[in-house]
Amino acid sequence: MSDRLDDLERRIAELRAGVRRAVRARDGAAARGLRAELRAAERAWDALVGGEQPEERAAAQAPPLVTVREQVHQGLRLLGAAAQPRLVVAVSEAFLGGTIRSAQLTSLRRDEERSFRSSPYGRPYYLCAALTDRLSAARGLLTLSTWPLERRVVGPLSPRVDFLTCAIAVAGRECADPRAARLLLRMARNIPGATGGSLVPPDPERVVAAARAELAVHAERDTRDRAELARRAARQLDDVARLFGAATLSTIKKEYVT
């Protein structure tokens, strides 16, 4: 037991130092994650000192809460396209048992950018902004850094294409939670032919078919627009701006037609 206690005490000291560094760097997301690890390590230390096995203590406790950051990550992965915070929150609640609120997402992207600037690529993923045709951050659209640029830029047709992509993802996910049915109905009302004029929860297969039919109309043009925007972003932006957008138009090099 002595060796285990020594290991835990070293780990607790490392985590406390990590929390202090994150606070000094104003990296709120990292600080929250480290504090959660610190609490778990301290509980394990208490269990050993009290003669109780950590496994027994853990079994008696509620499962650890998933951080807001990870809940947003899970929601975006389910949707598979750039999405507004309120849609991410609704998907997280309906399908993933999420507990996040839209207000909690207000400063999240800024926290992510600060973290990236202080330690580039130090995390497996970052919650970042969609990029507009001006290569600036799109207001209220979240994406994942692990997606290719073509999925993180938005052209004229992209908001509609992304909405249809998200609707297909929601319709294709089986869930008995009534919130999932209500979310699908809200989305289906904005897709021609998806509801058949009914007020009851729509048939998911019908929603998918209607969304795919409209996607077929827009996909080729949107793919072309996004490819061009992605080429511009790769050519003109540094690593930070590719994830979080150009700060001002002056940061974008002008291109002239010769």
Side-chain angles (χ1 to χ4, degrees), residues 47-225:
L48 276 180
V49 171
E52 182 181 3
Q53 292 301 313
E55 293 79 9
E56 296 172 352
R57 174 69 64 86
Q61 293 173 337
L65 293 175
V66 179
T67 64
V68 170
R69 181 175 185 268
E70 179 55 27
Q71 289 181 61
V72 175
H73 176 237
Q74 292 173 355
L76 284 170
R77 285 187 62 192
L78 188 154
L79 290 167
Q84 295 180 340
R86 65 175 178 271
L87 177 56
V88 175
V89 170
V91 164
S92 178
E93 289 177 346
F95 295 101
L96 304 169
T99 58
I100 52 178
R101 301 183 302 276
S102 295
Q104 293 177 290
L105 276 62
T106 302
S107 62
L108 193 57
R109 195 194 63 78
R110 292 194 297 272
D111 291 341
E112 294 289 283
E113 183 172 352
R114 281 195 292 267
S115 175
F116 185 86
R117 287 180 181 275
S118 65
S119 179
Y121 301 107
R123 296 175 171 179
Y125 67 86
Y126 291 86
L127 307 174
C128 53
L131 303 182
T132 69
D133 58 353
R134 296 184 176 186
L135 304 186
S136 57
R139 186 177 180 84
L141 278 180
L142 295 172
T143 68
L144 293 177
S145 62
T146 51
W147 292 348
L149 267 171
E150 288 81 0
R151 286 172 68 187
R152 295 192 287 107
V153 295
V154 289
L157 295 172
S158 300
R160 185 60 182 174
V161 167
D162 286 344
F163 172 80
L164 294 169
T165 301
C166 292
I168 291 171
V170 169
R173 182 93 172 197
E174 293 186 7
C175 182
D177 192 311
R179 290 175 295 187
R182 290 195 295 269
L183 174 61
L184 181 59
L185 178 58
R186 290 198 301 271
M187 299 184 80
R189 286 172 176 164
N190 291 292
I191 304 173
T195 64
S198 173
L199 297 179
V200 300
D203 176 16
E205 292 184 1
R206 180 169 187 154
V207 175
V208 171
R212 285 179 175 165
E214 187 178 344
L215 266 180
V217 177
H218 304 310
E220 183 177 353
R221 172 65 184 276
D222 183 60
T223 299
R224 188 166 62 248
D225 290 343

Side-chain angles (χ1 to χ4, degrees), residues 4 7-24 30-45:
R4 175 62 175 156
D7 290 341
L8 280 171
E9 287 168 356
R10 281 193 293 269
R11 180 58 177 158
I12 288 169
E14 291 170 357
L15 288 167
R16 285 173 175 166
V19 170
R20 288 195 295 271
R21 286 193 297 270
V23 170
R24 283 197 297 268
R32 287 191 291 273
L34 289 168
R35 283 198 297 267
E37 291 185 50
L38 176 59
R39 287 192 293 269
E42 289 173 336
R43 286 195 298 269
W45 188 91

